[in-house]
Amino acid sequence: MITGLYRAGNSRLHRAGAGRKLLALILGGTLLLAISSLPLAALGLLIALALYGLAGFGPRVLWTQLRPIVFVLAVLFLAQLWLATPAEAVLVVLRFAALVLAAGLVTLTTRTSDLVAAIERGLSPLSRFGLDVAKVSLAISLAIRFIPAIGQIAGEVREAQLARGRRPSPLTLVVPVIVRLLKMADEITDAIDARS
Amino acid sequence: MSTRDIVLVALFAALMAALGAFPPLMIPAIAVPITAQSMGPMLAGGILGAKRGALSMLLFVALVGVGLPLLSGGRGGLGVFAGPTAGFIFGWIAAAAVTGFLVERFWRGLNFVTAFLAATVGGIVVLYGIGIPWISFVGGVPLATAAAGSAAFIPGDLIKAGLAAAAIVMVKRAYPMIRPAHGRP
Amino acid sequence: MAGPDGRAVISCTGVRLDRGERTVLSDLDLTLSERRIGVIGANGSGKSSFARLLNGLLLPSRGNVTVDGLDTRKDAKGVRRKVGFLFQNPDNQIVYPTVGEDLAFGLKGRKLPKAEIAARVEATLQRFSLDGFGDRLVHELSGGERQMVALAGVMILDPDWLVLDEPTTLLDRRNTRRIMAAIEALDQNVILVTHDLRLLESFDRVVVFEAGRVIADAAPAEAIPAYLRLVE
């Protein structure tokens, strides 16, 4: 099924608690966005790079984090260069590189299950306002459980349509899959209620 | 929230992930990849209604946040939220809510036109209404620049709104999920 | 553990079940206390609805269903603790991504301490020949293994009754035998809804449904031929 983006390791960052890493990320990110300072942004990027080293990740891992935003960053850089000053343009790029790297680092060094547990802990104070944390974690588990199942259903629907001699279009694929999901939902509901 | 609501919310979050696994379609005329995933919020809102639809998108965004590579192209993790285009991801929650709200309004006489209107307003107007100012704010560029950079995706999104509208109407006939409230259509 | 007279008993009195305009079951008066009870009938005869009445997934439109004295309408939660339910398709029954997590699902709802949950999960894995499956991903298992996981997920809650709704329909002969062997070994009272008449030969009692009514209710040697005369 889906493997998370976590990369196993035994660095101090890997061992640090998920909640603390998230908190540090939120504080650092807010600081970086709140203060428009070129030296601070550069320092932020340096810290992020140093932390990758500490976690034992090389340039290739760094690049996989940055690759998805390179195009958008280039466009932003050019827009800033044209509309504002070169300093502003550099600031935007440094900021985003630092932020994306730092956030990615939390993902790389924290297991999905630990992050889910941190979310549940973070939500538990809200139970006073009627939020049922057990239901939230049930929803998370169910979604993870059924992602591969939906791929399988889509495959079956596709085969059935091919067997009847028509090439499935997005629409003839998506509608039967959804109708099957809705029917499945009733049975899953019964099964959960039967066991609780 | 009944058990059934939770199951539906989870199944549509999973459906959103499955849509992300579809290979993107390249349309040569506009040179922009069309991914199936942004159909998800329109489908979730239009089929489950505003509340469950929006919650399913919230759940999906949370799954991305905890490090599952569920966005098209296998992206995921917190880094995605820190990028300049994160507004287009958080915007899915509002997109599903508005599409769902409108489909609930149009429910009794729902047809392709009204469903398309709901999907377009929710899945395009609202989504870009969040995504574009987000780029402008965090990227420090004027709104017009951010809008110009995003405009290339609109034709593809209109096609998806059409597909989603057709699917919403067909699913309503086969298995209606939004039931009219007491005395109201 | 049992009814007022010390026996485990499920009784249906004057039960009728409507779904929308349609009457699915009517005139149902049954007292079930045998250890192995089979339920057969054609598609649409009402046998699956009957199974769902027994643990309160469906409530009767008229009349009462009681399990060891508990009314399904008044105490659905208590009834579900007594009556475990296995569905036809394990894919829709298994809730969690890994086998171990799924077995723990029902126990977590009962607020048991973590160590006890882990111990019971381990013991149940052993009991259903699933040793070492705790961390396996559910979607990577075969259909037979998944049905065994679904069965284990029900039995870990230690119900007094087990209702099974066509649990072997999706399985091949070998997996059917494995599941049936696991069911045979249970101490609990079993109510098995099935199309596979061979499975019922050793049962204590067989109830035959047709068009929402019981048309035969006897030992297998008598009830199964009555059903065959009906369908052939």
Side-chain angles (χ1 to χ4, degrees), chain C:
Chain C
M1 290 299 279
D5 59 352
R7 267 192 325 156
V9 173
I10 296 182
S11 43
C12 305
T13 15
V15 166
R16 174 185 160 137
L17 178 69
D18 299 317
R19 292 186 114 173
E21 302 280 281
R22 212 162 58 89
T23 298
V24 183
L25 290 168
S26 48
D27 300 327
L28 212 57
D29 285 285
L30 286 171
T31 305
L32 307 170
S33 60
E34 290 77 2
R35 280 195 65 232
R36 299 288 180 260
I37 301 173
V39 176
I40 52 181
N43 293 328
S45 61
K47 59 188 190 314
S48 277
S49 300
F50 170 68
R52 282 165 171 73
L53 281 173
L54 302 181
N55 78 336
L57 280 175
L58 290 176
L59 296 174
S61 312
R62 250 182 248 158
N64 298 78
V65 177
T66 59
V67 177
D68 301 346
L70 300 180
D71 191 315
T72 56
R73 200 178 280 122
K74 290 181 193 132
D75 190 0
K77 197 149 191 160
V79 166
R80 284 191 197 137
R81 285 196 172 201
K82 284 182 171 291
V83 186
F85 200 105
L86 190 69
F87 295 80
Q88 177 179 355
N89 189 346
D91 286 345
N92 297 345
Q93 176 152 8
I94 300 174
V95 174
Y96 275 76
T98 66
V99 173
E101 286 175 294
D102 191 74
L103 293 194
F105 166 68
L107 295 176
K108 273 195 199 150
R110 298 193 179 170
K111 310 260 180 263
L112 294 177
K114 262 191 180 165
E116 193 187 332
I117 292 180
R120 276 176 73 170
V121 167
E122 202 45 52
T124 306
L125 287 172
Q126 303 245 331
R127 187 175 156 205
F128 290 93
S129 336
L130 294 166
D131 322 44
F133 274 61
D135 292 325
R136 291 277 296 275
L137 292 169
V138 167
H139 83 275
E140 289 174 353
L141 304 181
S142 73
E145 288 166 339
R146 274 186 245 190
Q147 190 60 293
M148 197 61 98
V149 170
L151 176 64
V154 173
M155 296 317 296
I156 197 172
L157 299 173
D158 205 17
D160 297 335
W161 292 81
L162 177 63
V163 179
L164 307 102
D165 187 10
E166 301 187 34
T168 59
T169 306
L170 300 176
L171 302 181
D172 60 27
R173 293 288 303 271
R174 197 174 60 163
N175 280 307
T176 297
R177 271 203 301 277
R178 286 186 55 198
I179 288 284
M180 284 309 293
I183 292 168
E184 291 294 332
L186 299 175
D187 293 330
Q188 279 83 353
N189 288 26
V190 168
I191 298 175
L192 173 64
V193 178
T194 185
H195 284 294
D196 192 345
L197 305 176
R198 284 165 310 180
L199 303 180
L200 302 178
E201 278 159 12
S202 64
F203 272 42
D204 303 319
R205 175 179 174 185
V206 172
V207 182
V208 184
F209 278 83
E210 169 65 16
R213 283 164 204 276
V214 174
I215 56 138
D217 181 358
E222 194 182 325
I224 291 175
Y227 173 66
L228 290 175
R229 276 196 300 279
L230 187 77
V231 291
E232 274 160 15

Side-chain angles (χ1 to χ4, degrees), chain A residues 17-63:
Chain A
R20 287 168 67 184
K21 279 185 274 191
L22 281 174
L23 205 64
L25 177 65
I26 291 167
L27 289 177
T30 312
L31 190 69
L32 213 53
L33 284 176
I35 303 171
S36 288
S37 140
L38 203 53
L40 182 74
L43 180 68
L45 182 58
L46 279 178
I47 293 175
L49 290 173
L51 289 174
Y52 271 74
L54 184 67
F57 297 136
R60 278 179 66 177
V61 176
L62 273 173
W63 175 238

Side-chain angles (χ1 to χ4, degrees), chain A residues 2-6 22 25 33 65 68-69 72-73 76 79-80 82-83 88 92 95-96 99-100 103-104 106-107 110-113 115-116 119 135-136 138-140 142-144 146-147 150-151 154 170-175 177-179 181-186 188-189 192-193, chain B residues 1-19 22 39 43 47-48 59 62-70 74-85 135 137-142 145 149 162-164 166-168 170-171 174-177:
Chain A
I2 28 161
T3 356
L5 297 164
Y6 170 76
L22 281 174
L25 177 65
L33 284 176
Q65 297 300 304
I69 61 156
V72 182
L73 278 191
L76 279 179
Q80 290 284 2
W82 184 49
L83 296 159
E88 292 273 324
V92 164
R95 246 189 199 166
F96 275 117
L99 268 178
V100 168
V106 175
T107 302
T110 319
R111 280 196 180 79
T112 296
S113 52
L115 281 170
V116 171
I119 289 182
K135 287 185 173 178
V136 175
L138 175 63
I140 292 175
L142 274 174
I144 294 176
F146 281 101
I147 289 169
I150 289 177
L171 196 61
T172 60
L173 198 58
V174 105
V175 171
V177 169
I178 289 176
V179 170
L181 285 188
L182 298 176
K183 287 182 178 160
M184 260 171 77
D186 292 337
I188 298 166
T189 304
I192 291 173
D193 283 343
Chain B
M1 291 285 284
S2 66
T3 307
R4 186 157 178 270
D5 289 334
I6 294 170
V7 171
L8 287 168
V9 164
L11 283 181
F12 270 71
L15 176 70
M16 186 74 178
L19 287 172
F22 266 80
M39 230 167 88
L43 291 170
I47 290 166
L48 299 182
L59 175 57
L63 292 173
V64 170
V66 296
L68 299 177
L70 302 179
R75 288 171 308 128
L78 292 166
V80 174
F81 298 164
T85 54
I135 296 182
F137 179 70
V138 300
V141 292
T145 315
L163 281 172
I168 290 166
M170 282 161 81
V171 173
Y175 214 85
M177 296 302 297

Side-chain angles (χ1 to χ4, degrees), chain B residues 30-105:
Chain B
I30 47 176
V32 164
I34 298 188
T35 61
Q37 201 157 44
S38 48
M39 230 167 88
M42 305 175 190
L43 291 170
I47 290 166
L48 299 182
K51 187 181 166 196
R52 291 178 298 195
L55 285 173
S56 71
M57 290 304 112
L58 177 64
L59 175 57
F60 178 75
V61 170
L63 292 173
V64 170
V66 296
L68 299 177
L70 302 179
L71 294 176
S72 9
R75 288 171 308 128
L78 292 166
V80 174
F81 298 164
T85 54
F88 284 99
I89 292 166
F90 293 118
W92 283 337
I93 302 163
V98 172
T99 305
F101 174 81
L102 291 174
V103 168
E104 285 170 17
R105 282 302 104 118

